[in-house]
Amino acid sequence: MARLFEYEGKEYLKGAGIAIAQGEVVSTAKEAREVATKLGKPVVVKAQVWAGGRGKAGGIKLADTPEEAEKAANNILGMEIKGFPVRKVLVEEKLDIAKEYYAGVVPDGSWTSRCPVLMFSTEGGMDIESVPEDKIFRIKLDYLKGFPVYDALDLASSAGVSNELLKGMAGALSNMVEAFKKCDCNILEINPLIVTKGGKVIAGDCRMGVDDSASYRHPEMKIDIPREFPWEPSEFDVIGWGIEETDLRGSGFVMKMTLDESSTGYIGFHAIGGGAAMIGIDALSRVGLKAANFADTSGNPVGSKVYRVAKTIFAQPNIEGYLLAGFMISNQEQWHHAHALVKVLRDELPKRPGFPCVLLLAGNKEEESQKILKEGLEGLPGRIEIYGREHVEDSDFIGNRMVALVEEYRKEKGS
Ligand code: GDP
Ligand code: MN
């Protein structure tokens, strides 16, 4: 699911008729000061990251003057919130909050619903998970029938919204459902949905996630990669996605797992299938190593696709080893992997003598694959170990071999 930032999501809310605070997104403290000066009133400076709980983490600060806004932005822009580096802040007019509500639309796949559900609560501002169940009101959305305003009124009034606020609140809820549909959302959450002291209903936050399969209908959203991403995709990720997007033969997905390019202990990680990927990452972490990236080549990709993925993995500057984590007896024809890896390692190993490579490859055409690997890699200046089905259930063994080779390699390099 592709996520949008708060400032992006709010623009779509605005387009659907929901009020938002005046403001602008910036990436430097100086610009934050300029926006605050332009707004000419107290502001709130908000970290733009794909994570909730920014308030508690110190990523949201009130500022009465442009100087304070600059200071707050300076502080927030250096922060990391739940592992996400803050690269942008939203500077918005500060709202005079009378009460915070919660509103969210999420698909409910359970057999009793099988439709999007609108959730509403008078207890906004905190995580919906910590709101008592009897304070959360729900209504199932029927796309054919639409979401008539009397349903919205009903929901708001049963949740306890006072009479004078009912109309504004119901209007915001029905606009929210429109935005959910129009943007092909998988989630749309406004928490808090603010009622100001002046009685206006304003979206105080916005979490919007868009269905990956529908992202092509929204070029305006500029979603580089229609997948769940922890941070804005890097150049590496965009190149990796290009492999998947331009070749539909099997899957070949590769993305970064860390932004840290200076620490040791990172392994170029290449799994065959999602389950194998989890086993492989666990095996690495049990021996104190980390996956620099995630990669999966499964569904019987052709050799050229596997080659492109593995080549991309090797482009990472800080890796101390390469692991092919084929923790499965795969029914894809493994010789495509074998051919691809021979070519990649013949390209790469002469550039880095002694580099540790543990290759676990089992399944259909296993014997042939092992032969291709052994013959093709013979005499290369790496620390190459090749394993097959006898080790497919033995992730500790594979992890231990990986770390042993990495230690030898470090010693040899004198690091
Ligand atoms: P989250 O913690 O990442 O969900 O960030 P939110 O955008 O939901 O903000 C967290 C809290 O900061 C809100 O629940 C409000 O209490 C507070 N806050 C955000 N914007 C304003 C504002 O304009 N005025 C005031 N007084 N408080 C705000
Ligand atoms: Mn929030």
Side-chain angles (χ1 to χ4, degrees), residues 6 44 46 51-55 60 62 93-95 97 100 125 191-192 204-205:
E6 174 190 2
V44 51
K46 308 181 78 179
R54 294 164 301 166
I60 293 178
L62 302 173
E93 61 175 311
K94 185 178 122 190
L95 301 170
I97 300 178
E100 302 186 25
N191 185 24
D205 188 8

Side-chain angles (χ1 to χ4, degrees), residues 8 84 113 138 142 193 211 235 261-263 269-270 277 282 288 297 308 325 334 356 391 406:
E8 296 171 318
F84 304 90
S113 304
R138 296 180 170 80
D142 180 336
L193 181 56
D211 187 335
E235 192 188 355
E261 295 213 321
S262 53
S263 305
F269 183 68
H270 184 165
D282 281 351
T297 46
R308 291 169 78 195
Q334 299 292 39
H391 288 294
V406 167

Side-chain angles (χ1 to χ4, degrees), residues 46 52-55 60 125-127 189-192 204-207:
K46 308 181 78 179
R54 294 164 301 166
I60 293 178
M126 54 179 136
D127 280 350
E189 204 174 57
I190 304 177
N191 185 24
D205 188 8
C206 178
R207 174 175 176 199

